[in-house]
Amino acid sequence: MSNLTPTAIGSGHEGNLRDQVKAYFSRVKNGEMGALPAIGALVVLAGLFGSLSPFFFTKLNIANLFVQAAELTTLAAALVFVILLAEIDLSAGVAAGVAMDIFYLCLKSGLNWIVGVFVALIFGALVGLVLGWFVAKIGVPSFVVTLAFFLGFQGIALILLGDGGLFRVEVPEIKAIMNENLPAAAGWGLLALMLVISLSIGLWDRARRSKLGLAVRPLSILLTKTALIGLIGGFIVFFLNQNRSAAFKPIAGVPIVIPIVVGLLFVGTFVLDRTQFGRHLYAVGGNPEAARRAGIKVGLIRISAFVICSMLAVVSGLFHVSRIGVVEAAAGRSIVLSGVAAAVVGGVSLFGGRGRLVHAAIGAMVISMIDNGLGLLGLSAGISFLVTGSVLALAATIDALSRKRSGGSLARS
Amino acid sequence: MDTPVIELSGVKKSFGPVDVLKGVDLKAYAGKVTALVGDNGAGKSTLIKGLSGVQPYDEGIVKFNGEAVNIHDPRQAGAIGIEVVYQDLALCENLDIVQNMFLGREEISQLTLNESEMELQATKALQSLSVRTVKSVRQKVSSLSGGQRQTVAIARSVLRNAKLVILDEPTAALGVAQTEQVLNLVRRLADSGVAVIIISHNLVDVFKVCDDIAVLYLGRMVAQIETSKTTQSDVVGYITGTKTYDGAN
Ligand SMILES: Nc1ncnc2c1ncn2[C@@H]1O[C@H](COP(=O)(O)OP(=O)(O)OP(=O)(O)O)[C@@H](O)[C@H]1O
Ligand SMILES: [Mg+2]
């Protein structure tokens, strides 16, 4: 207290690599664990299933796992937008189902598939608009209104397709998303593009900080991060580029859906981290009253989140139709719960305000792996539900505990 | 004396049949800390809500720097230079200090948030108040102590170039050391040329930092006196209604 020059106020960017690593671990210790528990779970599960089933680590199965996870990731990412507001959307799955029924009816009436996709997305946007309006303007709890829509949409699906209705969707472009692969070179090219973009953004941030005379983190951190993404990404691309077919006709390459999902996650993360809308979304999730007093249009943010959620859910519905090749009246009923589980397991807080899209992706991988691994072991669907439920309960407990640890519980008395 | 930054005269407010403010006068000057004291239910918060635009007055004249204004919503109050630091502080715990200080007024360049610019300005605002208790401007608010949070909330008003800062019980939840820090901060804020109104139930604090004391009793301003010209026991008398101020200065 005795020195008269004001002590420098830091920004967390100071210090060498050692200090930075230390600071990271102290944040983790203080409850900001992010996706760490989920990453741990992934490693454990992979080890477990790998040792129990010889088929688990085959190229075909790993590729399958990625494709399955892609669909769930998209739905979980959709839900992140509403979970960040401490809301929920139980209707996301069946809304996507109805959107696909509408897509099918568009095709049947002779419309171009692109128009069909467009109509389905518009439908998603409208659903989100109505849900958001109920939540933000009328004040109906999202749990209740989305539960009502969950029931209602099941009815609409039955009416549109008829009881037990099941119809083939024959659009090569849609089918390709989940069933076709990129040429080997394209896989590498997209990975390189991703690395270049993420490195450029990192360097650009550093340049901006340096220009204003602010401290910057050691360059080695940025390079290590990029190298790590490159290494993991490179391994995945290399692995998927191998022939994984047991039959005569080879199957190789990165499934088309993967770069699409990575692109969606990238754009979504950019919006959440770097735009005013994203900032306001986190603020409303953290403390709606504070956000309101800061002049943020809280209702508008809430409605937008529901619109984004429903639209992204429609995209996941499209992936689903691509994979199984049919629309059916029962689509989307159970996947929404897996989506919520994926987000929470990945480290998105149900209390709102904390979580990232990449968490949804990691969580979706965990849930998909449980499903896939237990299936390979020949265990019944009953066991799979049981294990997934336990993992979700564990994740929610970690969420609640880490929130307490980081002092979050002070806010809501 | 020069024109007050804010001057209220004959302000009234009722909720249905209940008259909460019954014709209140108040002046606050640049560079001065004015205490607003009064018992529970005297109408202090109601008076402040009118100034912040949350709950406009029914009647009365509000002059800002000598000009009559009609404050009817918080955005407009902010635009003319009135900032309120509420008792609950209204910070987002999941965001860091910089993000909180710029909430709702983010710096944007090329359609994205200009984080480095915001970080620089936030740091400067904290430094201008000689804040020493904050280690990093990128700390999450959830990791801050009560005093540090109060500091962030006050610094936010500096960042917004407030001409009048109103603090609702800034030290109510703080320990001795943190109270001291916050009071010093309030003093520095006033010394930088801002008019400060501070609501407090703690007369020791009031006598420590305030230049002026305004006493509200059952919806009427029963006294506004310079701190140096009164005593704690007199002020207690005005607050409880056992003593009447005779306007002796
Ligand atoms: N929205 C409202 N509707 C009805 N009555 C109200 C409303 N807001 C305040 N009041 C009444 O006005 C009176 C003054 O309230 P106010 O909150 O301004 O007091 P205060 O001086 O801030 O008290 P405290 O020291 O307890 O914070 C109280 O009797 C309260 O019940
Ligand atoms: Mg009050």
Side-chain angles (χ1 to χ4, degrees), chain B residues 39-46 48-49 87 168-169 199 201:
Chain B
D39 223 338
N40 296 116
K44 305 181 293 295
S45 297
T46 308
I48 293 320
K49 282 178 188 155
Q87 201 168 348
D168 196 353
E169 302 208 38
I199 298 182
H201 284 290

Side-chain angles (χ1 to χ4, degrees), chain A residues 168-193:
Chain A
R168 295 190 68 78
V169 173
E170 305 276 10
V171 181
E173 289 86 348
I174 297 295
K175 195 158 185 268
I177 299 173
M178 300 292 267
N179 297 295
E180 301 286 331
N181 305 298
L182 294 172
W188 289 115
L190 286 176
L191 177 64
L193 182 70

Side-chain angles (χ1 to χ4, degrees), chain A residues 356-379:
Chain A
R356 307 168 56 78
L357 290 181
V358 66
H359 294 168
I362 294 169
M365 199 68 196
V366 172
I367 303 288
S368 303
M369 202 181 267
I370 292 174
D371 226 32
N372 174 287
L374 292 178
L376 290 182
L377 295 178
L379 294 174

